[in-house]
Amino acid sequence: MRKEQLRGKLGQEGPLLRRSHRLRPMVNLVNQSAAPTLSEVSLVSRRFHSLVTSPHAWRIAFSRHFPAQKSLTAFDQGLEDQETDADTLRSERRVFTRLTAFASWRSEYILRTQLIRSLGRGKPASAEGAVGAGNSRLNPNNPGSAQITYSSSLVTTVNHLHATFGTSLNKCLPNFVHGADEVGVASLSDPRTGKVDHWGFADPQSFTQFADDVPGVAQYGLGSGEVVGVPNKMDVSRHYGMAYAEGMPGGRLYYRSTEERKGRLLHPAVHGSWPELGIPDLSGNPLSAQTPCSIWMAKTTNVPDRSEGLIGIISGSSTGVVTAYSLGTAGLDERRIERGEITCRWIVSPGVPVVAISVDENTSIGRLGSKRIWAVVVNALGEVYYLTEMPTRSSIDRKTKLTAIQLAHLAWETGRTVHWAIAEPSRRIARPDPFQSSDFDGSYTPRSSWNGMGLSSEQIAAETREIEKYLRYPPKHFRKVNDGWDMRRRLEVDFAGDDGSTAGENIVVIQCGLDEGQIAEIKRYTRCQVPNPNADSLTTESAGIGLDGDREVEKDSLFGGSQPEISKTPGWSFNAIKQSSSSHSDASQDLATLEEWRTSTFSLGGLKAPQITTTAIDLSTHALLTLTEDPLLSIGGSSVTSSPTAFPLPQMPCPSTSSDVPGQRARLVGVGTKNGTIVLWNMRDPISHNTAIETTLKPVRIIYTDSPQISCLALSALYLVHGGNDGLVQAWDPLASTTEPIRTLNSRFSSRARRRLVQAEASPQGVGINLFAAGAVFLDPDPTVLRGMVSLGTHLRYWSYSSSAADQYKARKRQLRRSGRRSSSNQAAADKFIPTGRGALKDYIANEKLELEKEKASKRKEQERLAGRFGLDLLGPGATEDEILAYATMLSEEAAASDVQRRKSGSESGGETPRMAAEVSAFSDDSGNNDGRPDRMDPDIAEAIRLSLQDHVAPECVAAGASFPIKTRKAKRMGSSPPLLLSSPPRGVPEADGEQDDLDFALQLSLAEEKSREVSGKGKGREL
């Protein structure tokens, strides 16, 4: 019967219950709670538990706490508009790089808030990782400190930093390399001890700056435009050492390995012309001799290993030549390549300087197999060139000793195995020539061909002579015929951008606007793979023809029958591509898709005439993963890069696309300006679906710092660190959980020093070497580890803060029971510590079994407690929450109906009885119905009221059913009792539901006493 009633009510009131318990009020209630409170809210009911454990609630809570791009709207429109548009603010998704591998909205919200709080608190890390704790043997009680500042032993500002921190389970203590490009010196240091190694000072070298060697000549190809000169360039690597380039015509390239005390000059170029081999003469114009304008050095072992030791250092010159050098190979390899040996050479843009180089430090066999971009260069006209394949070198006997000329020829030959492609939207723009007065086409440029083009020797020679013609042009020629000459361009590349079609790389070219007549402009070029509409016809035409054009012919087989043979003399040949070409299936895939580039422009957020001084890109661990490498999108097992807080709850669904991943797999890029402003964008914002449409991307965050100028910048998935030219170093939250700095890592220098900087900037000589400025910042790639380094002039400041505040949210795992080390009296106890003994294994199994049983018992008790508290098992273990709510509603209605029936029966039975008896019985001490009432009357007062009613009741009043006066007699323990008036309602009038208020009751008693006195006075007067 009860089940049938329950089913009926559930069928009738199920939709009503669902409408009454809407999701939105519950979500708003949950979102107003703090993170620790949410865990307690989940214990209220199953509905709250499912809500709290759902990604939707945590995503909205995350949006409330981290406004991100909405902080710009709130800042511009004011607080009033922010409050009116609060629902929109909280509903939009935020873009950021997640902190852990298997992240969820819950883990991101909890872990990010706790890490930011730990960073703001600044508690030192553990004693092992704390700074200044390197001499623990001498002082074992030294807990270390959160920061340490020490000298780099360099004489000028340190503006290059790199470190090795290890990864995941192979975490190690940090080791830093720091260099100053003003003098070309680098050094190594250990921040735990604050000591600098002697590695960088064993082989002093003297380098000259272009401004000192040729005073009065404008740099960057400006001014007269006859020569190209730039400040000296440097790149450092903790694995491999330092690479340095003199930025003047005929400048030297210097390399020093960390395994060697002395450095070496890289092999100089051999001048000469061999047009039939594609080698042009690079010494045609003495005034425009090659000037090293850019340099890159490998930071990891990925690029040297994937290239078989060919690529370790890449330099770009003022003549558009790109040269690769080796960092050496191991002695056991098949080929032996010396350190600093020239390996590859290309002419990418003849006559136009290559000003920036970027290489994928995380390249792998999978990325190369998918033909993803691994190297990008940009020239002074803004043209972007890229490589998708690794060059290959012909086999050479290890015993063969090559001469300088042979090495140069081999480098040019190796370079022809790959092709430098150009991003078409970045192609140079010719100046308008309405009268066609120039016979020079400014939109065209030749460059080195590759073997895949199948050119003959005559064609290669003609191409080489045309390249030599362009090499003789000075910079003023290109400034005259082309727009956009800027040698201060910066390059940031997102090699991990992925659109799911083995493409999606984002190349950001930044025009700083530092020279006169230039404006700051930031463009993004995104590579896309789109279906080829003519793929079927191309595949049919290429049937029977290999990738190199070889045709199949029939040849008699030794085993009978016939077999196909590749003709050695094809009519259309790619015969020299065998070393670098892909398979026939890859060629079919290339024919099925077309490569396109989409262009976007980054909006500067309304800044007026900004000048960009520095740039940075997020180098966090999970920002460097492609879709196929992302463990959250391809969960097939555990990941060594995850932490206990990284795993989502079991009931949370795993994301299937990038939009479902917390943060949408965003990657931030930022710039610092000359007026102290920082602007951040998402490099992976959506692109347009049409190549003719150029989209404009709005910034994610704009930060207004107290520094007069931003000198360095560093980004991670958790926080941003900026350094100013006044020495101010602060940490900020890119997602704007607070508009103030999270922590100030270094305060600005004195006001006297700042005044000197202002005076120096106003002088004709300029600031020169600023020893007060922050030169470089480097952060740990793991965003959950709060450590990094900043250079302050010639000094270094390293910090390492504790992130243990987030440990309370980590999964509570069972701790292994310790073996009885002290009970070694018998052989069984001693056998526990023998690695191959059976006792240790048996005890381990027994301990694990005991721990599992304890866990099961605790879980069972917890379930019983929840069932007893909330009544979850009233209808059995299979009951749903709707059935339980319907059952509770039915019980409540039955109780209400029985209460109404009881009241009706009581009023009908006591209708003829005077109210006095009911009131007296209510206040009498003999009645036991008032047990447990909080408003029970004092026994003395109740006794006084009872006696007054017995002695001084007026019969006429009782008979008439009206109010009657009562006089009270004095009690022993209460002096006098106030007059009391009890009234009984007339017949036919229903009783009141509750008792009258005490104050009203006392007023009625007073009125009754006065009335009785008047009645008694009138009677005495009549008798007289």
Side-chain angles (χ1 to χ4, degrees):
M1 182 65 183
R2 183 64 58 88
K3 290 184 178 181
E4 294 178 357
Q5 295 178 359
L6 177 61
R7 291 175 182 174
K9 283 190 171 294
L10 186 61
Q12 298 174 0
E13 299 184 8
L16 181 61
L17 290 174
R18 286 192 290 271
R19 287 193 297 269
S20 61
H21 296 279
R22 292 180 178 178
L23 184 63
R24 186 177 182 83
M26 299 175 68
V27 170
N28 293 334
L29 176 63
V30 169
N31 292 332
Q32 296 294 340
S33 305
T37 311
L38 292 178
S39 300
E40 300 177 1
V41 171
S42 63
L43 301 177
V44 174
S45 65
R46 289 186 180 180
R47 189 180 295 274
F48 272 97
H49 183 269
S50 61
L51 176 64
V52 171
T53 55
S54 65
H56 177 71
W58 289 99
R59 180 175 61 82
I60 297 182
F62 189 97
S63 301
R64 285 179 178 270
H65 193 75
F66 299 98
Q69 61 268 25
K70 281 298 178 180
S71 63
L72 301 178
T73 306
F75 182 82
D76 295 335
Q77 298 179 358
L79 296 177
E80 296 181 358
D81 295 343
Q82 181 184 7
E83 293 178 359
T84 57
D85 199 27
D87 294 338
T88 305
L89 185 149
R90 293 157 189 164
S91 62
E92 288 193 2
R93 293 192 177 186
R94 303 293 177 251
V95 290
F96 57 90
T97 304
R98 66 182 191 272
L99 301 177
T100 51
F102 294 95
S104 62
W105 286 105
R106 175 180 180 273
S107 66
E108 283 294 320
Y109 177 61
I110 295 177
L111 189 59
R112 191 176 290 268
T113 53
Q114 293 303 318
L115 287 175
I116 290 177
R117 188 177 303 172
S118 300
L119 180 61
R121 183 169 48 186
K123 181 181 177 182
S126 60
E128 298 179 357
V131 297
N135 298 327
S136 57
R137 294 184 179 180
L138 301 178
N139 186 11
N141 297 324
N142 180 22
S145 60
Q147 292 182 353
I148 184 174
T149 305
Y150 58 96
S151 175
S152 64
S153 300
L154 301 178
V155 296
T156 58
T157 303
V158 176
N159 44 25
H160 293 276
L161 285 175
H162 186 252
T164 55
F165 295 99
T167 57
S168 64
L169 302 178
N170 194 25
K171 277 288 184 182
C172 60
L173 299 177
N175 290 300
F176 282 86
V177 57
H178 19 78
D181 56 12
E182 183 68 26
V183 293
V185 180
S187 58
L188 303 175
S189 68
D190 183 3
R192 296 180 69 247
T193 59
K195 295 182 179 180
V196 179
D197 192 74
H198 298 287
W199 167 79
F201 310 98
D203 183 25
Q205 293 286 331
S206 177
F207 299 101
T208 307
Q209 294 284 346
F210 176 79
D212 300 334
D213 187 67
V214 190
V217 179
Q219 297 182 354
Y220 307 109
L222 302 176
S224 62
E226 295 291 342
V227 296
V228 175
V230 295
N232 294 355
K233 304 297 181 180
M234 172 184 279
D235 199 6
V236 294
S237 171
R238 184 60 185 86
H239 285 288
Y240 297 108
M242 177 198 75
Y244 192 73
E246 282 185 318
M248 63 178 59
R252 299 169 295 173
L253 296 176
Y254 178 78
Y255 162 62
R256 177 186 293 162
S257 174
T258 54
E259 300 177 356
E260 297 177 346
R261 289 293 179 180
K262 293 185 179 182
R264 66 186 71 197
L265 293 175
L266 298 180
H267 289 277
V270 177
H271 299 296
S273 177
W274 292 269
E276 65 279 359
L277 300 178
I279 304 175
D281 186 9
L282 300 178
S283 60
N285 187 1
L287 294 178
S288 60
Q290 290 194 75
T291 299
C293 299
S294 56
I295 194 167
W296 168 87
M297 189 178 191
K299 310 298 187 301
T300 62
T301 60
N302 293 329
V303 175
D305 291 346
R306 300 289 85 80
S307 63
E308 297 181 354
L310 294 178
I311 309 296
I313 300 174
I314 300 178
S315 68
S317 70
S318 60
T319 55
V321 179
V322 177
T323 309
Y325 302 88
S326 175
L327 295 174
T329 56
L332 298 179
D333 292 346
E334 296 181 0
R335 64 181 70 183
R336 180 176 180 84
I337 305 177
E338 299 292 339
R339 287 175 178 169
E341 180 179 322
I342 185 172
T343 55
C344 301
R345 232 172 182 199
W346 305 272
I347 295 183
V348 177
S349 56
V352 182
V354 176
V355 298
I357 303 172
S358 181
V359 178
D360 185 9
E361 300 285 353
N362 295 85
T363 186
S364 60
I365 297 178
R367 294 190 183 186
L368 293 175
S370 301
K371 293 188 177 181
R372 296 184 63 88
I373 297 176
W374 69 271
V376 179
V377 299
V378 62
N379 61 15
L381 295 178
E383 291 180 310
V384 175
Y385 299 89
Y386 61 94
L387 282 177
T388 58
E389 295 180 348
M390 281 288 180
T392 57
R393 192 175 188 178
S394 57
S395 300
I396 301 175
D397 190 2
R398 295 185 58 182
K399 298 179 181 180
T400 304
K401 185 68 174 178
L402 300 179
T403 62
I405 296 179
Q406 291 175 336
L407 284 175
H409 288 189
L410 185 60
W412 286 103
E413 180 185 349
T414 305
R416 295 183 64 85
T417 59
V418 293
H419 174 57
W420 283 93
I422 184 174
E424 288 299 330
S426 67
R427 188 178 290 275
R428 65 184 67 184
I429 301 174
R431 288 184 181 272
D433 187 12
F435 302 103
Q436 297 181 357
S437 58
S438 176
D439 57 351
F440 187 86
D441 186 5
S443 62
Y444 168 75
T445 176
R447 64 177 185 271
S448 297
S449 59
W450 69 302
N451 296 335
M453 299 178 68
L455 300 180
S456 62
S457 300
E458 293 78 9
Q459 292 174 326
I460 294 176
E463 177 191 70
T464 305
R465 294 188 185 94
E466 187 180 14
I467 290 175
E468 290 178 350
K469 177 183 176 181
Y470 274 74
L471 290 174
R472 296 187 181 95
Y473 289 127
K476 64 180 181 181
H477 171 77
F478 296 99
R479 289 167 49 195
K480 179 181 179 181
V481 300
N482 295 104
D483 285 330
W485 178 277
D486 184 10
M487 291 190 63
R488 300 197 191 188
R489 278 187 171 90
R490 291 173 175 265
L491 178 66
E492 298 291 349
V493 183
D494 176 25
F495 293 101
D498 202 340
D499 61 353
S501 302
T502 66
E505 300 91 339
N506 300 287
I507 301 174
V508 178
V509 180
I510 304 167
Q511 186 172 343
C512 300
L514 298 174
D515 297 326
E516 185 179 356
Q518 295 180 350
I519 59 174
E521 186 181 24
I522 304 176
K523 285 188 174 294
R524 183 192 69 175
Y525 304 103
T526 305
R527 179 169 168 258
C528 304
Q529 295 284 355
V530 297
N532 186 0
N534 301 324
D536 297 337
S537 60
L538 292 176
T539 305
T540 304
E541 292 177 1
S542 61
I545 302 178
L547 188 62
D548 54 356
D550 298 336
R551 306 179 185 276
E552 296 182 359
V553 297
E554 296 294 328
K555 178 184 176 181
D556 294 335
S557 173
L558 295 176
F559 303 96
S562 63
Q563 63 179 3
E565 182 187 13
I566 303 299
S567 175
K568 300 301 182 182
T569 57
W572 182 71
S573 174
F574 275 172
N575 53 358
I577 197 179
K578 295 180 181 179
Q579 296 179 352
S580 60
S581 63
S582 58
S583 61
H584 182 69
S585 59
D586 294 337
S588 301
Q589 184 178 2
D590 293 342
L591 295 176
T593 58
L594 293 177
E595 184 177 278
E596 291 184 355
W597 288 87
R598 310 295 167 86
T599 307
S600 305
T601 302
F602 286 172
S603 171
L604 291 171
L607 299 180
K608 296 183 179 179
Q611 292 181 318
I612 298 173
T613 56
T614 183
T615 62
I617 188 174
D618 187 1
L619 297 177
S620 301
T621 303
H622 305 291
L624 306 176
L625 302 177
T626 61
L627 287 178
T628 56
E629 298 168 349
D630 196 330
L632 192 56
L633 295 174
S634 57
I635 296 179
S638 60
S639 174
V640 296
T641 60
S642 60
S643 61
T645 55
F647 290 91
L649 296 178
Q651 60 271 23
M652 290 187 179
C654 296
S656 57
T657 60
S658 300
S659 59
D660 298 333
V661 176
Q664 304 183 52
R665 295 189 76 252
R667 188 177 185 183
L668 300 183
V669 61
V671 300
T673 63
K674 211 168 185 178
N675 58 0
T677 305
I678 302 172
V679 188
L680 302 177
W681 297 271
N682 177 22
M683 295 184 69
R684 300 174 183 174
D685 268 340
I687 61 176
S688 64
H689 298 283
N690 192 347
T691 56
I693 300 176
E694 183 174 321
T695 58
T696 301
L697 306 180
K698 296 182 179 180
V700 175
R701 176 87 193 275
I702 299 179
I703 301 174
Y704 301 92
T705 68
D706 295 332
S707 298
Q709 178 178 328
I710 306 298
S711 57
C712 59
L713 196 63
L715 272 170
S716 74
L718 179 67
Y719 63 107
L720 172 149
V721 177
H722 98 274
N725 65 338
D726 58 347
L728 180 64
V729 182
Q730 292 177 326
W732 302 80
D733 182 11
L735 300 183
S737 62
T738 174
T739 57
E740 299 296 327
I742 303 174
R743 185 172 186 84
T744 299
L745 301 173
N746 185 69
S747 301
R748 61 176 64 185
F749 287 93
S750 62
S751 58
R752 181 178 181 183
R754 297 197 297 272
R755 285 197 302 270
R756 289 183 178 180
L757 287 176
V758 175
Q759 295 172 1
E761 289 178 354
S763 64
Q765 293 80 12
V767 178
I769 301 175
N770 184 5
L771 296 179
F772 301 105
V777 184
F778 193 85
L779 303 177
D780 194 327
D782 186 356
T784 60
V785 182
L786 307 177
R787 56 182 177 180
M789 177 177 283
V790 61
S791 64
L792 303 169
T794 60
H795 286 70
L796 305 170
R797 170 162 292 186
Y798 172 76
W799 69 86
S800 179
Y801 298 121
S802 174
S803 57
S804 59
D807 292 344
Q808 56 180 320
Y809 295 101
K810 292 183 178 180
R812 297 182 179 178
K813 295 185 177 181
R814 290 182 293 106
Q815 297 180 356
L816 297 179
R817 184 182 294 272
R818 295 181 177 271
S819 303
R821 291 177 179 259
R822 299 179 181 177
S823 58
S824 58
S825 57
N826 52 12
Q827 183 65 23
D831 193 22
K832 294 179 181 179
F833 301 100
I834 299 176
T836 58
R838 296 182 179 178
L841 182 60
K842 291 182 179 180
D843 291 340
Y844 179 82
I845 295 175
N847 293 336
E848 289 294 304
K849 184 178 180 181
L850 181 61
E851 293 291 342
L852 289 174
E853 292 177 355
K854 288 184 177 180
E855 280 192 0
K856 292 180 180 179
S858 62
K859 289 181 180 179
R860 185 172 59 256
K861 290 182 179 180
E862 181 67 16
Q863 293 177 356
E864 293 176 356
R865 185 185 71 82
L866 295 177
R869 180 178 180 182
F870 303 110
L872 300 179
D873 58 347
L874 291 176
L875 300 179
T880 63
E881 187 175 356
D882 292 337
E883 293 176 350
I884 294 175
L885 289 175
Y887 181 68
T889 304
M890 183 179 64
L891 292 179
S892 178
E893 292 178 354
E894 290 181 354
S898 62
D899 189 19
V900 172
Q901 185 68 23
R902 180 179 56 79
R903 289 179 181 178
K904 287 183 179 180
S905 60
S907 61
E908 293 175 358
S909 61
E912 303 295 334
T913 306
R915 177 80 181 271
M916 179 187 66
E919 296 292 344
V920 171
S921 62
F923 290 103
S924 64
D925 189 38
D926 297 336
S927 176
N929 297 330
N930 271 346
D931 292 341
R933 281 188 178 182
D935 55 348
R936 185 178 179 182
M937 188 171 289
D938 195 329
D940 297 335
I941 298 176
E943 180 67 18
I945 293 174
R946 187 180 65 81
L947 295 175
S948 300
L949 292 176
Q950 290 178 358
D951 298 339
H952 301 282
V953 175
E956 62 276 11
C957 294
V958 174
S963 300
F964 51 88
I966 301 174
K967 289 186 178 180
T968 61
R969 77 174 54 170
K970 296 182 180 179
K972 296 181 179 179
R973 283 180 282 180
M974 341 175 15
S976 62
S977 176
L980 181 65
L981 176 66
L982 293 179
S983 61
S984 59
R987 296 179 182 179
V989 178
E991 291 188 9
D993 293 341
E995 298 179 359
Q996 294 181 347
D997 188 77
D998 294 340
L999 180 60
D1000 296 339
F1001 201 73
L1003 292 175
Q1004 291 182 10
L1005 289 176
S1006 299
L1007 294 175
E1009 184 179 3
E1010 291 181 359
K1011 188 174 182 180
S1012 62
R1013 287 179 182 179
E1014 292 177 358
V1015 172
S1016 61
K1018 291 180 179 180
K1020 291 181 179 180
R1022 291 176 181 177
E1023 291 177 359
L1024 293 174

